[in-house]
């Protein structure tokens, strides 16, 4: 061979500025310098501006007295509590509406998603109409509609709608009897815990036995009996240790009972109905992703329609459904910040709204708020990745 | 006709038919309206129950909506008395004279009345741009991108904000409002987010660790927090980060927030497109001696963007709906002008709010539905071009 192989030695004609390695380092250094310069500029400006506006910095405000009231709180809070306490109240309210919203959105979403695949023409047209309409109207508009046009248009206090069972509905909310636990109620709680633990144990035992002998056990019925029947039996045996505190309508307000604020209800309706439309699409795509051959193969093995769905189609569809479903849950949680538009005391309304206005410490308050949502997002996606790697198809 | 031996044997059996029967139409119960009803609505007891329930629901809700929007609606009137049940002694639906009187406010906000022709020209120019870039048979589509991404933003800015040397008086952005702001915010989001999103997507796939780190950090940070907090950050933190004299006005702050948010989402959409391009395309481009930017501009991005068009349009639909959130930081977009108008004592009736929200809902439904149809049509077109 007459070709001269001088491997590893770059041709002498390439100047250093055309060397990809040197170029790459130069670009990266330039980018770092630009970012460092921007951060330095922003920080020095912020220090100047804060000094001029006489705004304190640091997290000292956390312990100061808040001085404002919050209409709904799950933990004890008065206007003498600290800003830090107000933060926790807001976070609890956000998590509450997100959790309840996720439950409702999932229920509606799965029903609508399955309805879109129905063979019944009316059912699938109605489901498509729901999805197309709800997805194309901004969530904020829907929230304002529920709050201002529906819930605020309910009759006022004096003309409250009386719902059988001692509840009142008016434009200040829904007032329901509050169950109050008496001394023996802890036995019932204990029975529920025992019931859940027992049914998990029974399930594991039944699965082991089925793997060994092929015999099936009535897992569902036994679990139902353990989780619902046992606590009920204890409840009656303990002599009904639960009383109801009925709301009483006064002239200007209603005393006692549990109150569901119209702000909470509007946010819950809006979030559930809006997110359900997206979940419906996720569910539909997931079910369609399971090829028809799977159903046919299950039928040819002798499985009937119901076990086919439960043992063959749903487990495979869930693999496709769960990742986008989680991101819809995250969207719902993030969208709950729209509470600020209708005055539901969530984290953003309390913290980025009232606390920011009172203290003026924009940087700290916005940073804390963002950190909270970022933590929720990152933790969820971390769990999602773990789940995904567990259920991912293991190919040969 | 020739007969084989087998046929002869059959022919001798008297009970075997010798001639073919006329083709019969399918039974009446399987065709026509009856057959369709049986197959699609009444195939099982469960389906019958569902059909009845949903029919009842429609019988309840459709007359309700039609009554409200058309039959019981008030069409003319000067003030709230026209839309009050006590005054008119009849059930009252939508109060259209309210919407009609406020239509100019819903469209232009508080933009000075003698200057509103400028907004009209902006709408017309935007419409031309949109049709030019979306209509596939339009002439000179190669120029459409320059028009939409360079000419239109500059001319619109001069036109809307004003330029004294052209005789256009300055109009402060505080006065902008209604559909104008909704369109401006979404258009800026759309125009800015695509290039920045592409850069971020390329950055995320880059070999340079700092570039990759910065892109990942920006994308994951912005996607991990709600838009409301991004807008709050833009509106309360941004003024702190720049010297006092350069403090951006309120609308610009919201625009920066929206643009950041949209770019991060766009980056993920573009990245999905880039991932779908087979490695051979990159290697092929490098083999013919193209540099990084040439490879991206001529080979990779045209293919990647083409397959992502439906997703890009879907992102735009989300962005268009999300522009309503600027309401929360005090910008007068369409929803905010409606929210202000419905509290006007001149039109204070129980139906005013619902009428206002109906106007907004129709506006967003029409635009978002049109965009989603376009996305679906593009998807179908691309699928057709993939078929061999």
């Amino acid at each position: 061979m007459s070709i001269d192989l001088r491997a590893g030695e770059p041709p002498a004609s390439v100047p250093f500025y055309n060397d990809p390695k040197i170029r790459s380092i130069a670009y990266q250094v330039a980018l770092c310098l630009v970012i460092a310069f921007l951060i330095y500029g922003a920080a020095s400006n912020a220090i100047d501006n804060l000094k001029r506006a006489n705004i304190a910095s640091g997290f000292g405000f956390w312990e100061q007295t808040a001085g404002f009231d919050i209409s709904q709180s799950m933990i004890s809070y008065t206007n003498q509590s600290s800003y830090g306490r107000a933060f926790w109240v807001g976070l609890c309210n956000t998590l509450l509406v997100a959790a309840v919203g996720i439950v409702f959105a999932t229920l509606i979403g799965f029903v609508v998603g399955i309805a879109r695949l129905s063979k019944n023409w009316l059912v699938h047209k109605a489901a498509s109409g729901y999805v197309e309409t709800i997805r194309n109207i901004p969530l904020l508009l829907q929230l304002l509609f529920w709050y201002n046009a529906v819930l605020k248009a309910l009759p006022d206090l004096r003309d409250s709608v009386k719902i059988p069972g001692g509840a009142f509905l008016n434009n200040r909310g829904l007032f329901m009897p509050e169950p109050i636990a008496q001394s023996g109620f802890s036995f019932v709680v204990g029975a529920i815990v025992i019931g859940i633990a027992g049914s998990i144990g029974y399930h594991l035992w039944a699965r082991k036995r089925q793997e060994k002998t092929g015999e099936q056990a009535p897992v569902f019925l036994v679990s139902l009996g353990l989780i619902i029947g046992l606590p009920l039996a204890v409840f009656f045996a303990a002599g009904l240790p639960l009383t109801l505190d009925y709301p009483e309508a006064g002239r200007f307000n209603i005393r006692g009972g549990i109150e569901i604020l119209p702000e909470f209800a509007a946010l819950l309706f809006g979030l559930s109905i809006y997110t359900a439309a997206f979940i419906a699409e996720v569910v539909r795509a997931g079910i369609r992703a399971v090829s028809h051959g799977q159903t046919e193969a299950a039928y040819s093995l002798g499985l009937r329609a119901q076990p086919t769905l439960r043992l063959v189609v749903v487990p495979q569809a869930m693999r496709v459904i769960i990742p986008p479903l989680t991101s819809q849950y995250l969207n719902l949680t993030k969208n709950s910040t729209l509470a600020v538009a209708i005055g539901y005391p969530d984290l953003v309304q309390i913290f980025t709204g009232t606390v920011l206005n009172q203290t003026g410490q924009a940087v700290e308050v916005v940073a804390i708020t963002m950190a909270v949502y970022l933590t929720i997002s990152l933790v969820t996606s971390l769990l999602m990745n773990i789940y995904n790697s567990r259920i991912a198809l293991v190919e040969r | 006709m020739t007969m084989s031996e087998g046929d002869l044997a059959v022919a001798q059996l008297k009970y075997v038919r010798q001639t073919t029967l006329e083709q019969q139409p399918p039974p009446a119960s399987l065709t026509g309206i009856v057959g369709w009803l049986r197959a699609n609505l009444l195939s099982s007891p469960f389906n019958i129950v569902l059909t009845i329930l949903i029919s009842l629901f429609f019988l309840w809700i459709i007359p309700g909506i039609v009554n409200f929007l058309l039959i019981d609606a008030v069409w003319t009137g000067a003030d709230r008395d026209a839309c009050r049940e006590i005054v008119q002694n009849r059930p009252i639906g939508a109060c259209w004279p309210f919407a009609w009187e406020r239509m100019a406010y819903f469209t232009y906000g508080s933009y000075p009345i003698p200057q509103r022709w400028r907004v009209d020209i902006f709408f017309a120019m935007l419409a031309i741009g949109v049709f030019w870039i979306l209509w596939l048979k339009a002439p000179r589509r190669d120029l459409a991108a320059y028009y939409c991404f360079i000419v239109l933003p500059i001319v619109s800015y001069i036109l809307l904000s004003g330029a004294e040397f052209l005789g256009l008086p300055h109009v402060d952005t505080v006065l902008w409002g209604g559909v104008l702001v909704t369109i401006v915010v979404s258009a800026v989001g759309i125009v800015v987010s695509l290039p920045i999103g592409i850069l971020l997507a390329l950055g995320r796939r880059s070999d340079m660790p700092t570039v990759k780190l910065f892109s990942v950090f920006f994308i994951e940070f912005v996607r991990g927090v709600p838009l409301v907090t991004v807008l709050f950050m833009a509106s309360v933190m941004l003024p702190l980060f720049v010297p006092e004299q350069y403090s951006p006005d309120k609308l610009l702050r919201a625009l920066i927030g929206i643009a950041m948010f949209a770019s991060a989402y766009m980056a993920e959409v573009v990245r999905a497109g880039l991932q779908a391009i087979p490695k051979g395309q990159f290697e092929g481009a490098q083999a013919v001696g193209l540099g990084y930017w040439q490879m991206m501009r001529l080979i990779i991005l045209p293919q990647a963007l083409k397959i992502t068009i439906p997703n890009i349009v879907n992102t735009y639909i989300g962005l268009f709906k999300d522009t309503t959130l600027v309401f929360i930081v005090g910008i007068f977009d369409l929803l905010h002008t409606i929210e202000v108008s419905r509290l006007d004592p001149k039109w204070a009736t129980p139906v005013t709010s619902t009428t206002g929200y109906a106007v907004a809902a129709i506006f967003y439904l029409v635009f978002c539905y049109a965009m989603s149809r376009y996305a679906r049509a593009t998807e179908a077109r691309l699928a057709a071009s993939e078929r061999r």
Side-chain angles (χ1 to χ4, degrees):
Chain A
M1 283 273 198
S2 61
I3 300 168
D4 188 16
L5 287 172
R6 273 180 290 184
E9 217 176 295
S13 62
V14 175
F16 75 92
Y17 53 82
N18 271 347
D19 185 341
K21 269 186 198 154
I22 294 176
R23 274 194 162 197
S24 146
I25 291 172
Y27 287 144
Q28 296 187 55
V29 169
L31 181 74
C32 290
L33 284 178
V34 168
I35 290 172
F37 176 74
L38 283 179
I39 291 176
Y40 170 75
S44 63
N45 279 325
I47 291 168
D48 282 357
N49 285 330
L50 288 174
K51 211 176 272 171
R52 198 177 309 114
N54 219 355
I55 295 173
S57 54
F59 295 94
F61 70 96
W62 194 258
E63 296 296 331
Q64 287 167 15
T65 308
F68 58 88
D69 287 306
I70 297 176
S71 56
Q72 174 190 320
S73 72
M74 294 162 74
I75 54 178
S76 67
Y77 175 88
T78 64
N79 57 15
Q80 294 305 307
S81 304
S82 65
Y83 285 128
R85 192 81 184 165
F87 166 83
W88 290 112
V89 172
L91 183 58
C92 286
N93 284 343
T94 290
L95 294 178
L96 174 73
V97 80
V100 183
I102 282 173
V103 172
F104 281 109
T106 311
L107 289 177
I108 307 172
F110 270 76
V111 169
V112 176
I114 293 167
R116 284 200 78 176
L117 295 170
S118 163
K119 287 198 189 86
N120 186 322
W121 182 85
L122 205 55
V123 171
H124 85 81
K125 281 293 166 191
S128 315
Y130 171 85
V131 170
E132 289 294 333
T133 315
I134 297 297
R135 284 208 313 173
N136 286 331
I137 297 178
L139 175 58
L140 185 59
L141 176 57
Q142 296 188 31
L143 288 180
L144 291 173
F145 170 78
W146 286 113
Y147 184 60
N148 290 320
V150 176
L151 296 176
K152 280 286 157 187
L154 286 172
D156 61 15
L157 190 64
R158 256 181 269 166
D159 309 320
S160 294
V161 181
K162 288 191 181 64
I163 298 170
F168 297 95
L169 181 66
N170 56 44
N171 61 4
R172 288 209 217 154
L174 174 65
F175 298 84
M176 293 186 302
E178 182 181 8
I180 291 175
Q182 303 295 316
S183 55
F185 195 71
S186 48
F187 293 115
V188 181
V189 178
I192 293 174
V193 174
I194 292 171
I196 293 174
S199 59
I200 292 174
Y202 183 73
H203 176 77
L204 293 175
W205 173 81
R207 196 192 315 170
K208 249 188 198 151
R209 195 183 66 157
Q210 191 182 350
E211 279 168 4
K212 259 188 202 152
T213 65
E215 274 180 85
Q216 289 185 333
V219 177
F220 181 73
L221 285 179
V222 172
S223 309
L224 201 71
L226 278 172
I227 294 176
I228 295 176
L230 184 67
L232 265 183
V234 174
F235 181 67
F236 283 108
L240 309 176
L242 202 65
T243 52
L244 288 177
D245 175 27
Y246 286 97
E248 280 173 51
R251 269 177 71 88
F252 299 108
N253 53 17
I254 291 183
R255 270 171 229 281
I258 309 180
E259 182 185 3
I260 294 180
L261 295 176
E263 290 84 13
F264 177 78
L267 189 62
L268 188 62
F269 286 166
L271 286 176
S272 317
I273 290 173
Y274 185 76
T275 314
F278 291 87
I279 292 180
E281 284 298 271
V282 168
V283 170
R284 183 174 76 122
I287 294 177
R288 299 246 322 237
V290 181
S291 78
H292 199 62
Q294 298 286 328
T295 318
E296 289 169 348
Y299 285 162
S300 69
L301 283 176
L303 266 66
R304 276 169 287 122
Q306 212 272 328
T308 302
L309 204 63
R310 191 165 55 85
L311 300 171
V312 177
V313 179
V314 170
Q316 297 188 67
M318 286 317 268
R319 200 198 303 275
V320 183
I321 289 175
I322 295 232
L325 187 65
T326 324
S327 74
Q328 289 306 327
Y329 289 166
L330 271 183
N331 279 347
L332 187 144
T333 311
K334 287 192 274 176
N335 281 336
S336 72
T337 51
L338 292 184
V340 70
I342 55 172
Y344 172 72
D346 83 323
L347 181 63
V348 168
Q349 207 259 344
I350 291 178
F351 207 60
T352 325
T354 316
V355 174
L356 175 60
N357 280 340
Q358 289 194 4
T359 61
Q361 290 187 263
V363 179
E364 291 87 347
V365 167
V366 173
I368 292 173
T369 317
M370 285 186 147
V372 168
Y373 286 101
L374 213 52
T375 311
I376 296 176
S377 295
L378 292 180
V379 168
T380 313
S381 47
L382 193 72
L383 294 176
M384 206 54 252
N385 286 342
I386 295 173
Y387 174 83
N388 255 343
S389 58
R390 275 190 59 188
I391 65 157
L393 273 180
V394 183
E395 306 222 358
R396 279 152 301 187
Chain B
M1 200 176 176
T2 59
M3 278 188 165
S4 68
E5 257 176 73
D7 287 333
L8 264 173
V10 170
Q12 277 148 17
L13 299 171
K14 290 287 182 211
Y15 54 85
V16 174
R17 196 185 288 280
Q18 299 292 307
T19 51
T20 314
L21 273 181
E22 270 298 286
Q23 259 191 17
Q24 297 290 310
S29 61
L30 292 181
T31 57
I33 296 174
V34 179
W36 184 87
L37 282 177
R38 282 173 72 129
N40 288 307
L41 299 180
L42 311 166
S43 57
S44 67
F46 179 64
N47 264 334
I48 294 174
V49 173
L50 277 183
T51 304
I52 293 172
L53 284 179
I54 291 183
S55 310
L56 286 177
F57 175 73
F58 277 125
L59 282 179
W60 170 65
I61 200 162
I62 290 180
I65 292 176
V66 171
N67 268 342
F68 182 83
L69 290 180
L70 301 171
I71 296 171
D72 288 342
V74 179
W75 297 93
T76 53
D79 59 5
R80 62 193 288 244
D81 283 344
C83 302
R84 289 172 74 197
E85 262 180 57
I86 311 158
V87 179
Q88 300 292 325
N89 280 322
R90 70 177 180 93
I92 296 287
C95 185
W96 295 123
F98 152 73
W100 190 241
E101 191 194 277
R102 287 304 188 123
M103 200 50 85
Y105 181 58
F106 293 162
T107 316
Y108 307 101
S110 310
Y111 210 86
I113 294 170
Q115 303 295 329
R116 282 181 182 175
W117 57 271
R118 284 155 58 174
V119 181
D120 294 333
I121 292 183
F122 163 69
F123 285 150
M125 282 176 54
L126 191 71
I128 290 171
V130 168
F131 274 105
W132 200 359
I133 208 161
L134 296 187
W135 187 38
L136 296 173
K137 287 175 193 151
R140 299 305 307 269
R141 283 189 77 222
D142 48 333
L143 295 181
Y146 293 104
Y147 175 79
C148 283
F149 285 87
I150 295 170
V151 178
L152 197 58
I154 296 171
V155 175
S156 309
Y157 176 74
I158 295 172
L159 197 63
L160 293 175
S161 167
E164 297 293 346
F165 62 93
L166 289 174
L168 296 172
H170 176 70
V171 180
D172 199 273
T173 54
V174 177
L175 300 174
W176 299 16
V179 175
L180 168 65
V181 162
T182 296
I183 301 272
V184 164
V185 173
S186 43
V188 168
I190 287 169
V191 169
V192 173
S193 69
L194 192 58
I196 296 187
I198 292 174
L199 285 181
L200 283 170
L202 292 177
R204 195 169 182 165
R205 288 171 56 88
S206 162
D207 297 330
M208 299 183 230
T210 50
V211 176
K212 186 170 180 175
L213 187 74
F214 171 73
S215 307
V216 170
F217 183 78
F218 180 85
I219 294 170
E220 292 304 325
F221 174 75
V222 174
R223 279 164 48 92
V225 297
L227 176 55
V228 174
T229 57
V230 175
L231 286 173
F232 267 116
M233 187 180 84
S235 73
V236 299
M237 278 166 79
L238 208 60
L240 293 176
F241 291 153
V242 293
E244 210 179 9
Q245 64 270 29
Y246 299 121
S247 189
D249 74 9
K250 236 176 162 181
L251 182 64
L252 185 58
R253 289 182 223 162
L255 288 179
I256 292 172
I258 290 269
M260 273 173 66
F261 193 74
S263 305
Y265 278 80
M266 191 56 72
E268 285 300 274
V269 170
V270 174
R271 186 169 75 112
L274 287 174
Q275 272 172 348
I277 305 297
K279 210 162 181 260
Q281 297 289 327
F282 292 86
E283 291 166 349
Q286 283 165 348
V288 293
L290 297 181
Y292 180 80
W293 291 108
Q294 279 175 317
M295 168 175 83
M296 285 301 165
R297 193 165 52 85
L298 299 172
I299 310 289
I300 306 300
L301 282 177
Q303 301 183 65
L305 291 182
K306 190 182 119 186
I307 54 172
T308 28
I309 289 176
N311 286 337
I312 291 177
V313 178
N314 283 334
T315 313
Y316 286 161
I317 296 176
L319 175 64
F320 189 68
K321 287 186 294 173
D322 281 343
T323 57
T324 49
L325 267 64
V326 297
F327 171 21
I328 289 168
V329 289
I331 310 286
F332 279 82
D333 76 323
L334 172 65
L335 200 53
H336 203 165
T337 55
I338 286 174
E339 198 59 16
V340 171
S341 304
R342 72 177 189 88
L343 300 172
D344 178 4
K346 186 184 168 193
W347 289 102
T349 69
V351 293
T352 312
S353 304
T354 317
T355 310
Y357 294 142
V359 172
I362 292 167
F363 173 82
Y364 284 105
L365 255 180
V366 166
F367 275 83
C368 295
Y369 191 69
M371 282 195 266
S372 70
R373 294 308 301 187
Y374 181 81
R376 227 169 284 170
T378 314
E379 220 165 329
R381 192 164 55 83
L382 292 179
S385 72
E386 285 296 311
R387 267 202 302 272
R388 294 281 139 77

